[in-house]
């Protein structure tokens, strides 16, 4: 049975549950939607389609929170977001040229890299230099295009520094919104964005709104140390689950 274009009912059900759970984590931690959503959906959908759907959902939920993000983000977020948008097309072109099985494996490794990076001791100063910010922006753009995941370099950059939780969350979410927009534009430019993908994205968006709202409510009840531990747990669980499923 085909429910929307080329997507079966089973694929849509998997995507709905993945979107609800991933958006809850986004609301709780300030990141994690793409890191969780893409590996799970890529098991039921072609990786390029999973990435584009994740990008579409990130743009929609980011736009719904834009005033808060603009008020709370650190200035470095704008530089990282700009670089990310410029580099994203190169990552998407690489994804389109990669076989599906290899792409799924690489996406799982990218999720694992974010977990490892968060475990690294705090080596960054509270005010990182231009070179560090530039490196984060470029890596984030490549990972946005290839895996729909700007988070692996961005999350450690903000979480491992002595920043207020709200500043870290809004900075990350602002970058993720712009990065996802770049991913969508790149997908349209190379001809892999379709009407069916847009319809499925819109179908999943209410689940993302609900999950994100629940996550935000839960976030207000935990302390900063617990929040930072949650970041590491989420990253590790996502990476481990994706690797186990593939292997």
């Amino acid at each position: 049975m085909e429910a929307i274009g080329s997507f079966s009912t089973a694929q849509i059900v998997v995507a709905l549950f993945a979107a609800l759970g991933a958006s809850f984590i986004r609301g709780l931690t300030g990141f994690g939607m793409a890191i969780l959503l893409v590996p799970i959906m890529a098991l039921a959908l072609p990786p390029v389609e999973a990435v584009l759907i994740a990008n579409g959902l990130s743009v929609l939920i980011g736009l719904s929170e834009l005033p808060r993000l603009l008020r709370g983000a650190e200035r470095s977020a704008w530089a990282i977001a700009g670089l990310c948008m410029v580099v994203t097309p190169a990552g998407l072109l690489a994804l389109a040229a990669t076989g599906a099985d290899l792409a799924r494996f690489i996406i799982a490794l990218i999720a694992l890299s974010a977990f490892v990076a968060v475990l690294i001791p705090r080596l960054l100063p509270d005010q990182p230099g231009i070179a560090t910010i530039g490196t984060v922006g470029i890596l984030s753009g490549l990972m946005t295009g290839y895996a729909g995941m700007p988070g692996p370099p961005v999350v450690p950059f903000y979480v491992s520094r002595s920043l207020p939780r709200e500043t870290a969350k809004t900075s990350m979410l602002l970058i993720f919104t712009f990065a996802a927009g770049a991913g969508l534009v790149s997908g349209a430019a190379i001809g892999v964005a379709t009407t069916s993908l847009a319809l499925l994205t819109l179908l999943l968006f209410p689940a993302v709104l609900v999950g994100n709202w629940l996550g935000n409510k839960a976030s207000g009840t935990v302390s900063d140390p617990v929040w930072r531990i949650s970041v590491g747990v989420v990253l590790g669980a996502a990476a481990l689950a994706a690797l186990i499923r593939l292997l």
Side-chain angles (χ1 to χ4, degrees):
M1 174 182 177
E2 292 187 348
I4 293 182
S6 60
F7 301 114
S8 68
T9 301
Q11 288 175 317
I12 293 172
V13 170
V14 169
L16 275 170
F17 278 101
L20 181 64
S23 59
F24 174 82
I25 297 302
R26 178 192 187 276
L28 177 67
T29 65
F31 76 100
M33 191 165 81
I35 292 173
L36 288 169
L37 193 57
V38 173
I40 295 172
M41 288 205 306
L43 298 175
L45 302 172
V48 172
E49 294 181 352
V51 167
L52 289 175
I53 291 171
N55 283 338
L57 292 172
S58 293
V59 168
L60 291 175
I61 192 64
L63 290 176
S64 74
E65 299 178 331
L66 194 57
R68 178 173 73 92
L69 304 185
L70 293 175
R71 287 194 306 268
E74 189 184 53
R75 290 181 60 186
S76 63
W78 291 100
I80 292 172
L83 284 168
C84 183
M85 293 174 70
V86 170
V87 178
T88 290
L92 190 57
L93 286 171
L95 174 61
T98 304
D101 289 339
L102 177 58
R104 290 185 177 101
F105 182 69
I106 293 174
I107 287 170
L109 290 181
I110 290 173
L112 181 62
S113 74
F115 171 63
V116 173
V118 167
L119 295 181
I120 296 174
R122 296 188 181 187
L123 301 178
L124 290 176
D126 286 342
Q127 298 297 328
I130 295 175
T132 301
I133 292 172
T135 300
V136 171
I138 291 170
L139 291 175
S140 181
L142 291 172
M143 292 185 182
T144 297
Y146 196 89
M149 299 180 192
V154 171
V155 173
F157 179 81
Y158 287 106
V159 174
S160 64
R161 294 159 56 206
S162 300
L163 292 175
R165 185 199 313 183
E166 185 63 16
T167 301
K169 286 181 64 174
T170 54
S171 297
M172 291 189 292
L173 292 174
L174 182 71
I175 293 168
F176 299 159
T177 301
F178 280 97
L184 287 181
V185 171
S186 300
I190 67 173
V192 295
T194 65
T195 301
S196 294
L197 285 176
L199 290 174
L200 181 54
T201 301
L202 292 174
L203 177 66
L204 298 177
F205 185 51
V208 170
L209 284 174
V210 172
N212 188 68
W213 178 75
L214 291 172
N216 275 321
K217 286 184 69 67
S219 178
T221 66
V222 300
S223 65
D224 276 359
V226 172
W227 174 73
R228 293 181 189 277
I229 291 172
S230 299
V231 169
V233 169
V234 168
L235 289 173
L240 185 60
L243 286 173
I244 289 174
R245 178 64 179 84
L246 286 173
L247 298 175

